[in-house]
Amino acid sequence: MTRVLVADDNPVVRAGLTALLDGHGDTEVVAEAADGREAYEAALLHRPDVVLLDVRMPGVDGLTALPRLVRVAPVMMLTYSGEDGTVREALRLGARGYLVHGEFTVEQLVGAVRDIGLGRAHFSATAARALGVMEGTGGAVCPATSTGVMPWSISSNPNEEASRMQPDVGQSSPGRRRETPLLRKGLGVHRLSRREVEVMELIAAGMSNQQIAAACFISEKTVKNHINRIFAKLHSNSRTQAVATWLGTRGATG
């Protein structure tokens, strides 16, 4: 049984997805959410196998919540938003798949949900073309799988490709971050706290204070306090200087 969390601000879409997925014997919707904050709280409570996440939602949107959600469960974007930049950003932030409404059948959706739960990435045609352009493949995508939904095929191992594109802010278990070389360097050389490393990564990703606050579920005032401490430890007077120092650290770690 694949346990699913559906996050979409449209109650009709949520109800429809729940009915479709619950209608198959091996998938079950265990929770619904209307925005990113509700999705994260529901994911912590229910521990789903897969999160289906809309992009545009009021309050905390899908992309803002994504870095937190991927630490709890694999996430597949399920949305009407098929812009190239949005697709690329979703993958960079850790999404395992990206389906655009209108480009898949019910059976293809169910098959993709099962595969995402097993660690295989899936993208509908619009998303696959966006990722093909991003990787310089001229928009080429590989043949459809048995589900009919395009898998990601730049790497021989789809999980390796998804992992390579993600920021180093993943966790091996909820509440505890992976001990990556960048994390060890940040904690050691620059004496950043784990939270400061996380905030610095989001700064380097181009997020505003408001976006960082939403992604970390803290106040903007707390974000500013973290940034002030980060600037002091990195001997920087601006975000640009801090990012330059941080990327230099990234390069030094290999």
Side-chain angles (χ1 to χ4, degrees):
M1 181 69 69
T2 303
R3 304 171 69 254
V4 183
L5 164 63
V6 175
D8 194 295
D9 63 307
N10 189 327
V12 176
V13 172
R14 293 200 307 272
L17 289 171
T18 298
L20 291 175
L21 294 172
D22 282 349
H24 289 71
D26 58 354
T27 57
E28 176 190 11
V29 175
V30 296
E32 298 179 16
D35 67 8
R37 185 182 298 275
E38 286 186 12
Y40 180 65
E41 293 171 351
L44 290 177
L45 179 63
H46 296 279
R47 299 292 171 177
D49 300 309
V50 177
V51 176
L52 298 182
L53 183 65
D54 190 17
V55 170
R56 294 190 174 95
M57 296 181 286
V60 179
D61 64 33
L63 292 182
T64 301
L66 188 53
R68 304 285 287 187
L69 281 168
V70 296
R71 299 175 193 171
V72 182
V75 176
M76 179 164 66
M77 310 307 293
L78 185 61
T79 179
Y80 288 99
S81 305
E83 299 87 353
D84 288 359
T86 301
V87 176
R88 297 170 189 171
E89 182 70 359
L91 181 59
R92 192 189 67 77
L93 293 174
R96 294 280 186 87
Y98 198 111
L99 302 187
V100 177
H101 286 295
E103 298 185 347
F104 53 86
T105 66
V106 173
E107 291 302 324
Q108 289 168 356
L109 170 62
V110 173
V113 167
R114 294 189 192 114
D115 277 0
I116 292 291
L118 295 173
R120 186 176 187 186
H122 275 270
F123 303 88
S124 62
T126 295
R129 282 194 296 270
L131 297 177
V133 170
M134 179 180 67
E135 289 296 317
T137 62
V141 294
C142 63
T145 64
S146 59
T147 66
V149 180
M150 302 294 184
W152 184 233
S153 62
I154 296 301
S155 169
S156 60
N157 183 337
N159 290 326
E160 289 177 1
E161 183 64 27
S163 175
R164 184 180 68 79
M165 296 297 294
Q166 293 177 21
D168 295 322
V169 294
Q171 292 178 218
S172 58
S173 61
R176 183 174 180 80
R177 293 194 44 193
R178 273 200 330 258
E179 290 291 341
T180 63
L182 179 58
L183 174 58
R184 290 194 295 270
K185 192 80 170 181
L187 294 172
V189 173
H190 295 299
R191 299 186 182 278
L192 300 184
S193 69
R194 288 175 181 269
R195 174 63 90 181
E196 288 165 357
V197 168
E198 180 177 17
V199 170
M200 188 60 237
E201 281 288 89
L202 297 178
I203 292 172
M207 286 192 178
S208 67
N209 286 4
Q210 183 179 20
Q211 291 171 322
I212 294 171
C216 296
F217 296 93
I218 56 180
S219 69
E220 286 190 58
K221 184 176 185 299
T222 301
V223 171
K224 291 177 182 178
N225 290 338
H226 284 310
I227 291 175
N228 288 337
R229 287 193 291 270
I230 289 169
F231 282 4
K233 292 177 181 180
L234 297 184
H235 306 291
S236 302
N237 296 318
S238 67
R239 284 172 114 90
T240 300
Q241 289 181 358
V243 169
T245 300
W246 190 247
L247 293 179
T249 299
R250 183 188 297 276
T253 61

